[in-house]
Amino acid sequence: QSVLTQPPSASGTPGQRVTISCSGSNSNIGSKTVNWYQQLPGTAPKLLIYSNNRRPSGVPDRFSGSKSGTSASLAISGLQSEDEADYYCAAWDDSLNGPVFGGGTKLTVL
Amino acid sequence: QVHLVQSGAEVKKPGSSVKVSCKASGGSFNSYIMSWVRQAPRQGLEWMGGIIPIFDSPNYARKFQGRITITADESTSTAYMELSSLISEDTAVYYCAREYSSSSSRFDDWGQGTLLTVSS
């Protein structure tokens, strides 16, 4: 059971906009910034969004993040087939004194 | 960008130990925050612990305390993760990752992963 809660799956057709939610508590999302990772099949995770809504260099602006209270969201607009991957949210947890992850959301591009 | 290269796959018997290495290149290893994250088959990511080499004071997830040892060798820019008393549920891919700053959960760089199989 992951500390952060994500839907196990999401889907969309090419060109659509999809959102993935991430729910936590005051000890993590409520007081810390949220980061998102993309994991393509058979590869290591890659930082996709940091500090709630910042994109590392090289990440397309189709990807965006937001946070409100103890929840966060990742939005992907103009969905492409190469976006098919697992997505994880993460935040530091003050109670556990370490980073915690969501269980991951498998995005399928139909 | 920091490049992290991990040691190869391991097969271990229950009750034994494993030590995985992660060699860093680029940047200043001493100031890195090196963490270990594992992923069991078809499961999510799980943080195990981390270390800042210059302080040599590891921080472990409660779940692994007593069973995990994370160390760093500044002379070779290599971090190590040793896990003891292995059980079948420890079968997973183990990643080293560089955390951007303390208490951030922002992992900018990842190793390629090391598959550990625990089987009798």
Side-chain angles (χ1 to χ4, degrees):
Chain A
Q1 191 80 355
S2 301
V3 175
L4 305 181
T5 301
Q6 297 179 234
S9 63
S11 63
T13 56
Q16 265 191 331
R17 181 177 187 270
V18 297
T19 61
I20 297 171
S21 62
C22 176
S23 177
S25 66
N26 289 327
S27 64
N28 42 67
I29 294 178
S31 56
K32 300 293 183 184
T33 59
V34 177
N35 305 294
W36 290 89
Y37 298 87
Q38 178 192 58
Q39 186 176 33
L40 297 170
T43 69
K46 167 193 163 186
L47 181 66
L48 190 68
I49 296 287
Y50 68 94
S51 297
N52 303 328
N53 55 18
R54 303 287 187 102
R55 285 186 308 277
S57 174
V59 173
D61 59 7
R62 302 186 295 105
F63 295 90
S64 62
S66 63
K67 186 187 108 167
S68 178
T70 58
S71 295
S73 290
L74 172 71
I76 309 171
S77 60
L79 199 61
Q80 298 180 6
S81 58
E82 55 260 41
D83 298 333
E84 194 160 279
D86 294 325
Y87 293 85
Y88 295 90
C89 58
W92 186 268
D93 190 294
D94 282 332
S95 297
L96 299 174
N97 194 33
V100 291
F101 291 92
T105 298
K106 183 176 183 60
L107 175 63
T108 301
V109 181
L110 302 170
Chain B
Q1 187 176 4
V2 176
H3 190 51
L4 302 175
V5 179
Q6 299 182 221
S7 49
E10 302 265 11
V11 179
K12 295 292 182 179
K13 293 192 180 304
S16 66
S17 299
V18 68
K19 191 171 186 177
V20 182
S21 68
C22 171
K23 184 172 177 60
S25 58
S28 177
F29 179 76
N30 288 353
S31 62
Y32 294 167
I33 304 170
M34 297 299 299
S35 285
W36 291 88
V37 176
R38 77 176 185 180
Q39 185 172 36
R42 296 170 298 282
Q43 299 296 314
L45 303 171
E46 181 177 34
W47 178 77
M48 302 177 71
I51 189 170
I52 304 175
I54 196 170
F55 296 132
D56 197 27
S57 179
N59 176 31
Y60 301 134
R62 291 176 199 165
K63 175 178 178 177
F64 300 101
Q65 285 194 4
R67 238 179 19 113
I68 188 172
T69 304
I70 296 176
T71 56
D73 183 342
E74 296 176 43
S75 67
T76 60
S77 298
T78 302
Y80 299 90
M81 186 283 298
E82 184 170 18
L83 191 63
S84 62
S85 302
L86 293 171
I87 58 177
S88 59
E89 286 77 14
D90 292 320
T91 293
V93 176
Y94 290 75
Y95 294 102
C96 63
R98 183 182 71 89
E99 191 172 1
Y100 175 77
S101 64
S102 181
S103 308
S104 70
S105 77
R106 171 184 162 181
F107 299 102
D108 282 25
D109 305 290
W110 294 72
Q112 83 277 20
T114 297
L115 175 62
L116 168 66
T117 303
V118 182
S119 174
S120 55

